[in-house]
Amino acid sequence: MRKRSVLAVMGAACLASSVAAQGFRNGGAAEQSERATFHVSTFATGLDRPWGAAFLPDGHLLVTERPGRMRIVDREGRVSPPLGGVPPVGTDGWEGSLLDIALAPDFVETREVYLCHTATVPGGVLTRLTRGRLSPDGTALEGTAPVLDAAPPQEGIRDHFGCRIVFGPRDGRLYLSTGDRFTDRGRAQRLDDLAGKVLRLERDGRPAAGNPFLGRPGVRPEIFCYGFRNPQGLAFNPWTGSLWASDLGPRGGDEVNVIRAGGNYGWPLVTQGVNTDGSAISDLQSAPGMEDPIHVWTPVVSPSGIGFYDGSAFPGWRGSLFVAALNTPGLVRLSTEGDRVTGEERLLWNRVRMRHVLQGPDGRLYILTDEADGRILRLDPA
């Protein structure tokens, strides 16, 4: 796959050094993108490693904190006390605990909320999907219960859980990403195992109708596609209807993929990355019968949450895929045409680890920072 060139990153107008030292705040100088001029400000503070978020119908933001709490951030950036009723989650490991959150498509009627988190069960730890309801007063989750465990569990290192949730805008099904769990990479290729996959589910956790492996002996019917390392980003392209996924590579080989039913995305048989010590993982970067990524980063940017922009606040950014990057930290904007990536721009680069990016109902961009004293940043038109 041809490597895309990196386009211009920052314009001449940057935040003053005093602002950079203190972190983002209201009133900072304008920043220049290729297609938009914007301000970055701190919208909310006091969050402990925020991971996932979903906008409620009233414009408030429901946010998860990795240690196992949920909060609501109102339209003025005020953060609520922790909500009650959050299911217990494991708090050890670098990547586990309470991760993503998504609202049911009919949330206004059902108030259903879905969480992805880690859970300790006999035999080890696994990725769990839990369903509950937000109480009418917005202070607690009610009736929470597991609907799917990404079995089998695994002892040892508690990393690579994936754990991003999206609902299909056309089919209404729930899509869930799972990681390979790090120590046994081969799980991503095993079809009797839910690790290293994208799953497609009915809302009660059953395999969704029309899944590609339904009825195939020895294969988990929840699997929609497979061969992933640690996919922490899922987003539907609003123009083509396709599902896109970001996947963290090892040393090199971060990917963006267009998801196809039944597809094998190669990990660890095919990769453009190497082990952290520089040794080879595979001598193949592409292979027949395996899906190639549409965009690759080497060196890595460690992509986490992703989101397409189709708002009106930044007309020049319409059609872009935004990627929250952990290392090197910042925000990546990928310009797209259909299901192709046509260019790359790096914004707010090398400042703070970014876990997720999402478009608000006001058309602005909101970014969750991966910090113990975590923040929500907001990008406004200048």
Side-chain angles (χ1 to χ4, degrees), residues 49-340:
R49 300 205 179 277
W51 209 98
F55 277 99
L56 296 167
D58 62 5
H60 292 188
L61 189 60
L62 195 56
V63 181
T64 62
E65 296 176 291
R66 206 169 64 80
R69 294 180 295 272
M70 288 177 52
R71 301 178 189 268
I72 291 179
V73 181
D74 70 15
R75 289 187 294 270
E76 286 71 46
R78 294 183 292 257
V79 179
S80 76
L83 276 62
V86 176
V89 298
T91 56
D92 55 338
W94 176 245
E95 295 177 358
S97 300
L98 181 57
L99 303 177
D100 205 19
I101 184 169
L103 307 183
D106 58 356
F107 174 85
V108 172
E109 292 79 29
T110 65
R111 300 190 69 80
E112 279 189 355
V113 174
Y114 289 79
L115 301 175
C116 185
H117 58 93
T118 59
T120 301
V121 299
V125 177
L126 45 68
T127 300
R128 172 172 285 176
L129 180 68
T130 289
R131 179 172 60 179
R133 293 182 303 278
L134 184 65
S135 64
D137 62 3
T139 62
L141 289 184
E142 300 174 338
T144 57
V147 294
L148 179 81
D149 283 348
Q154 180 176 300
E155 296 280 10
I157 294 176
R158 301 187 176 192
D159 290 339
H160 290 198
F161 292 97
C163 234
R164 196 63 70 184
I165 310 167
V166 293
F167 280 92
R170 298 180 180 179
D171 64 9
R173 271 34 186 252
L174 186 151
Y175 294 77
L176 172 69
S177 66
T178 67
D180 69 355
R181 297 302 317 284
F182 189 76
T183 54
D184 182 1
R185 294 167 171 168
R187 295 186 64 183
Q189 289 292 319
R190 292 199 284 270
L191 295 181
D192 60 349
D193 188 319
L194 294 184
K197 312 296 192 296
V198 172
L199 312 179
R200 181 172 175 267
L201 309 169
E202 305 291 353
R203 284 166 50 171
D204 60 3
R206 291 179 296 114
N211 275 3
F213 300 112
L214 279 173
R216 181 168 161 181
V219 178
R220 291 294 301 258
E222 300 91 345
I223 296 172
F224 191 65
C225 57
Y226 61 104
F228 299 97
R229 183 174 182 266
N230 192 15
Q232 291 187 6
L234 289 177
F236 276 92
N237 185 323
W239 294 275
T240 67
S242 60
L243 178 62
W244 291 36
S246 63
D247 195 8
L248 289 98
R251 181 176 163 186
D254 289 345
E255 297 180 356
V256 174
N257 292 281
V258 174
I259 299 305
R260 307 186 194 284
N264 181 352
Y265 288 80
W267 177 257
L269 304 178
V270 171
T271 178
Q272 297 193 35
V274 297
N275 287 309
T276 55
D277 63 3
S279 61
I281 296 169
S282 171
D283 58 356
L284 297 176
Q285 294 189 354
S286 184
M290 296 187 183
E291 302 288 341
D292 289 331
I294 61 168
H295 197 73
V296 179
W297 290 279
T298 298
V300 298
V301 299
S302 299
S304 189
I306 62 176
F308 281 94
Y309 186 78
D310 64 353
S312 59
F314 301 100
W317 284 350
R318 282 182 60 85
S320 298
L321 179 74
F322 284 90
V323 181
L326 296 163
N327 182 30
T328 300
L331 184 66
V332 180
R333 184 183 69 82
L334 298 178
S335 55
T336 71
E337 291 180 5
D339 282 333
R340 297 187 303 113

Side-chain angles (χ1 to χ4, degrees), residues 5-74:
S5 61
V6 178
L7 303 177
V9 176
M10 304 295 293
C14 295
L15 288 176
S17 60
S18 61
V19 176
Q22 297 171 34
F24 304 105
R25 67 184 184 190
N26 291 320
E31 302 248 349
Q32 187 68 41
S33 162
E34 290 177 335
R35 297 184 182 177
T37 303
F38 62 94
H39 286 287
V40 57
S41 61
T42 297
F43 173 67
T45 60
L47 296 163
D48 191 349
R49 300 205 179 277
W51 209 98
F55 277 99
L56 296 167
D58 62 5
H60 292 188
L61 189 60
L62 195 56
V63 181
T64 62
E65 296 176 291
R66 206 169 64 80
R69 294 180 295 272
M70 288 177 52
R71 301 178 189 268
I72 291 179
V73 181
D74 70 15

